[in-house]
Amino acid sequence: MWLKIVFSLKNNYICPLKDILNKFLTIMNEKEIKSSTKCVRSGWKPKSGEPCQLPIYQSTTFKYETSREMQDLFDLKANGYFYTRLQNPTNDFTAKKICALEGGTAAMLTSSGQAANFFAVFNICEAGDHFIACSSIYGGTYNLFGVTMKKMGIEVTFIPIDATEEQVQAAIKPNTKLIFGETLTNPTIEIFDIEKFAKIAHKNGIPLIVDNTFPTPINCRPFEWGADIVTHSTTKYMDGHNTLVGGCIVDSGKFDWEAHAEKFPGLTEPDPSYHGLAYSKAFGNEGAFITKCTAQLMRDFGCIQSPQNAFLLNLGLESLAVRMRQHNENGLKVAQYLEQHPKVAWIHYPRLKSYTHPELAEKYLPSGCSGVMALGIKGGTEKSIKFMDSLKLVDIVTHVAYSQSCILHPASHTHRQLSDEQLRAAGINPELIRLSVGIEDADDIIADLEQALDQI
Ligand code: PLP
């Protein structure tokens, strides 16, 4: 069956390709629409008599009226979805909305943010390849790159977020295939200088992948600064309501795979598992990356988002612009309160005047930098934990970036698999607390923080 799908992709017959091409057209027509409108209107566009809300295609497979129709599908004479392990219409309409928000040419949903980052890198790198990642990234991604992908024969070099061009250049080897960073780093809340890293990547004929989870396209659109591929943990602000785990990959369509064909054989040379299909030749710069990722990695790994989750994600996206405005506003108010508190040793929140790189905040996050911040309590880890345990409204959870305010101590929670040395390399000191300011009333959040600080 897969061979038939492959072959049909090559011949532009079935839905995956057709749908990606539809994405191009819709998105090109939407260039002038504002982000708030895209949040509500992009993606699913009902025709006369169709439901206003995106339908959930909660089905593993797709029925055809007659044996002949099915036969035509297998004979590559008709279009249609086959099997939800590869693609599902609910997912595709939701991906289309995120694609429009980021200003890309094609996108796909994955089962998690981890899967999105894995797929984005593994769609380019093969065993024997090397890539560069900023060391200040989410602990799970750090582990995926540094430990798990190493077992697959893919080597990573972590570089500091403030690495100079010379330092980055020195880390690039003949087999280096990409650079990876997070726009707003988790959990240190530093800004990754996208334009700087994009220029270095492009000078070396390799793409820049940016995880844009925390800013969301409401606060920053990495493609405007030269990033080639954007990933998301849609589990965070995009869902926004603590309901689903999911991810998304968006392609800018700008990276010229053919111009550096020798570096990217997986994208430019015939794929033996697909009857010799060469993605860059069949789908161009706009479609090669996502088509390969869907048709090859999703086929083989099956990390698809469930249609139910894609529906919930689409619903979350409808209010993303409104919610991000409130997260930005509340985040700044809370950060300003904490900054002046005598028991707070330090705070990282890029929109504060004290932020070490205000020029980066102004450039990349002009409308705000979300509700996430990192801080240290005077007295170190013991006091930090006492402070967290004293909170009543703000929840201690392994989560971040959604409607409810929450808090976490990375060294003992999300990053506990990292050694002290790795923690330091990621810029995380043991007392660091990550606070995620929700959309409750800012005064109530501040009152809770105040009563907890009073107790230490
Ligand atoms: N990227 C970033 C920036 C994250 O913060 C996370 C998780 O916290 C991930 C990726 C992984 O996402 P998920 O938990 O959806 O797999």
Side-chain angles (χ1 to χ4, degrees), residues 100-314:
L101 282 164
E102 286 289 6
T105 54
M108 66 194 280
L109 299 188
T110 56
S111 55
S112 66
Q114 279 300 100
N117 282 331
F118 171 60
F119 273 23
V121 173
F122 197 60
N123 206 34
I124 297 173
C125 292
E126 300 177 359
D129 285 344
H130 167 260
F131 70 103
I132 288 176
C134 174
S135 59
S136 305
I137 49 173
Y138 166 59
T141 314
Y142 194 98
N143 198 65
L144 166 70
F145 291 172
V147 180
T148 304
M149 292 192 77
K150 193 172 173 187
K151 291 179 194 161
M152 303 170 86
I154 297 168
E155 191 203 350
V156 66
T157 299
F158 290 109
I159 49 153
I161 193 159
D162 56 359
T164 61
E165 181 170 347
E166 292 69 37
Q167 284 170 321
V168 183
Q169 197 58 54
I172 294 179
K173 309 175 186 187
N175 62 341
T176 304
K177 298 297 167 72
L178 63 96
I179 299 180
F180 179 97
E182 287 174 6
T183 316
L184 201 49
T185 63
N186 181 9
T188 46
I189 319 301
E190 301 284 352
I191 298 173
F192 182 71
D193 191 342
I194 301 169
E195 194 171 33
K196 177 178 104 177
F197 285 97
K199 279 189 182 144
I200 302 170
H202 296 160
K203 212 164 108 181
N204 289 277
I206 55 176
L208 176 68
I209 302 180
V210 172
D211 180 331
N212 195 34
T213 295
F214 280 179
T216 80
I218 303 304
N219 285 338
C220 179
R221 278 178 299 282
F223 294 154
E224 292 173 3
W225 303 104
D228 300 289
I229 290 142
V230 157
T231 58
H232 283 279
S233 164
T234 60
T235 317
K236 311 298 178 325
Y237 286 125
M238 284 195 169
D239 162 40
H241 300 86
N242 208 0
T243 63
L244 64 95
V245 173
C248 184
I249 307 171
V250 190
D251 183 13
S252 68
K254 288 186 188 145
F255 192 81
D256 193 347
W257 307 105
E258 281 290 319
H260 312 282
E262 75 295 346
K263 276 191 201 290
F264 309 107
L267 282 138
T268 59
E269 286 180 13
D271 176 358
S273 82
Y274 262 42
H275 280 285
L277 179 78
Y279 298 95
S280 55
K281 292 169 185 75
F283 307 113
N285 292 337
E286 295 89 349
F289 190 84
I290 294 295
T291 307
K292 174 177 184 283
C293 209
T294 302
Q296 193 185 72
L297 299 191
M298 209 49 108
R299 175 199 62 184
D300 293 352
F301 289 94
C303 307
I304 192 108
Q305 192 167 128
S306 78
Q308 177 75 34
N309 280 0
F311 167 81
L312 289 170
L313 174 59
N314 185 61

Side-chain angles (χ1 to χ4, degrees), residues 23-40:
K23 271 175 201 159
F24 298 157
L25 296 175
T26 318
I27 287 155
M28 281 196 300
N29 293 339
E30 286 187 349
K31 279 234 159 89
E32 302 309 318
I33 299 172
K34 300 262 189 285
S35 290
S36 311
T37 311
K38 287 180 184 172
C39 281
V40 183

